[in-house]
Amino acid sequence: MSSASSPIRIALIGYGYAARTFHAPLIQSVAGLSMELVASSRPGQVQAELPGVPVESDPLRAVVAPGIDLVVIATPNDTHFPLAQAALRAGKHVVVDKPMTPDLSEARELSATAKAHGRILSVFHNRRWDSDFISVRQAMREGLIGEARHFESRIERFRPQVRDRWRERPGPATGLWWDLGPHLVDQALALFGWPDTVQANLAQQRSGATTDDWAHVVLGFGAIRAILHAGMLAAIPGPRFVVHGTRGSLVKAQPDRQEQQLIAGLRPGDPEWGIDPDPLQWRCDDGPLQTRAAVPGDQSRFYVELAQAIAGEGPNPVLPEEAIRVMAVMEAAMRAASEGRAVSPELPL
């Protein structure tokens, strides 16, 4: 296993959008991490973009490959459990892209396996390090608008054409709620804790859609209501965050730009990395509208903190228990939507 003086050797499983856009560039930006192997059915693309990195066609062979310390799984959701389970049993640390698994019982089993083998299991809830969320969380902690009572978090896009990809086909943990919902739920739980109630409505709105492409979920935390919304027909998206409190309101209109920066070739450490030009706006006690600069984001912090945790120098950046809570709320929302009623989610042990 890697020591403080040697790099943490990584096998990246899958080389689709999430792996190419997020995992590979973020991993390569962090000192002490070394990409040693990629599992992919497209070796030419991997070798063109990651010269010199070996490619393995069989993901199950890759997750147990000798000489690998950390396995990063960025494959379709229904493969997360068997790949992560095999890696943990082979003595590897594991990162699973969100959602942890398609099924809550599988998520619990993975956590138990990690504990039994003394390995770190983490889930890539990268949106905790977004500029928009960090800015809103800081303002709320400062009591800028008093105590929050109404919270809106939305991720809206304009993609009117259904694409032929696994996320938009029927299957375990597919559809928009399972794609964007984990981000929305994870941030809400980080701010407010465990919800008392979950209400949900899911729909297929685009011509040819075979999975949900619109989601509206309301979490109740005592007097607080957290509205989580996602859609694919928003040519003019609503604000990323809106919070109404006992003394005023705040708005963060535009989303974090790191995904677009990564696509454009920017990397952590570049001068513009994580900079968000859209300010936080708020009004308090009937005073004037005020603004202040957004706090920069940095999703590479996930891998920085993970490397520290593997070296025994810090905590796991996303604990399995936290990801399991997200899974429980995700499943509660599916049940609420199916039954057409509010449900009370059971807090996982």
Side-chain angles (χ1 to χ4, degrees), residues 59-75:
L60 278 172
R61 280 203 299 264
V63 300
V64 300
I68 295 297
D69 305 312
L70 170 64
V71 171
V72 176
I73 298 170
T75 54

Side-chain angles (χ1 to χ4, degrees), residues 251-263:
V251 173
K252 181 66 178 70
Q254 298 299 319
D256 176 273
R257 301 195 306 162
Q258 289 175 85
E259 182 173 354
Q260 286 68 40
Q261 289 181 329
L262 287 165
I263 292 171

Side-chain angles (χ1 to χ4, degrees), residues 12-13 16-24 26 71-81 84 94-102 110 121-126 166-167 178-180 182-183 299 302-303 318 323 327:
L12 176 59
I13 313 303
Y17 182 83
R20 295 177 62 227
T21 304
F22 295 101
H23 293 283
L26 295 178
V71 171
V72 176
I73 298 170
T75 54
N77 295 340
D78 63 350
T79 67
H80 287 184
F81 174 75
V94 172
V95 169
V96 184
D97 203 277
K98 60 77 195 166
M100 188 174 182
T101 61
L110 280 187
L121 170 64
S122 197
V123 179
F124 190 60
H125 281 296
N126 55 315
W166 68 265
R167 295 181 188 276
W178 284 97
D179 185 14
L180 300 181
H183 293 312
Q299 294 182 16
F302 171 85
Y303 278 109
V318 180
M327 289 290 307

Side-chain angles (χ1 to χ4, degrees), residues 301-318:
R301 291 300 309 171
F302 171 85
Y303 278 109
V304 170
E305 294 178 23
L306 181 68
Q308 293 170 346
I310 291 173
E313 298 171 355
N316 185 341
V318 180

Side-chain angles (χ1 to χ4, degrees), residues 99-253:
M100 188 174 182
T101 61
D103 181 85
L104 182 58
S105 63
E106 291 178 340
R108 287 172 165 148
E109 188 173 342
L110 280 187
S111 179
T113 301
K115 290 177 182 176
H117 289 267
R119 300 293 89 185
I120 289 175
L121 170 64
S122 197
V123 179
F124 190 60
H125 281 296
N126 55 315
R127 300 294 181 178
R128 293 186 185 186
W129 290 270
D130 276 2
S131 60
D132 46 28
F133 176 67
I134 296 171
S135 299
V136 168
R137 181 182 60 189
Q138 177 177 297
M140 291 173 64
R141 287 177 174 175
E142 293 174 6
L144 206 63
I145 57 168
E147 298 179 7
R149 289 293 182 265
H150 174 106
F151 174 84
E152 294 181 33
S153 174
R154 62 179 65 231
I155 302 177
E156 294 180 306
R157 298 166 174 169
F158 187 62
R159 295 178 181 170
Q161 303 301 320
V162 176
R163 293 185 286 176
D164 184 19
R165 57 177 192 154
W166 68 265
R167 295 181 188 276
E168 299 185 50
R169 302 186 203 116
T174 63
L176 189 64
W177 175 238
W178 284 97
D179 185 14
L180 300 181
H183 293 312
L184 300 171
V185 171
D186 183 62
Q187 291 178 337
L189 299 190
L191 291 173
F192 302 113
W194 188 248
D196 307 311
T197 59
V198 179
Q199 303 173 65
N201 196 313
L202 307 177
Q204 297 175 11
Q205 295 190 330
R206 296 174 299 169
S207 176
T210 57
T211 58
D212 64 272
D213 56 12
W214 182 91
H216 192 85
V217 175
V218 180
L219 307 182
F221 304 86
I224 300 168
R225 293 295 179 270
I227 300 166
L228 313 180
H229 184 85
M232 299 290 268
L233 290 175
I236 305 176
R240 177 66 182 88
F241 289 104
V242 174
V243 188
H244 302 307
T246 54
R247 294 187 58 194
S249 300
L250 65 83
V251 173
K252 181 66 178 70

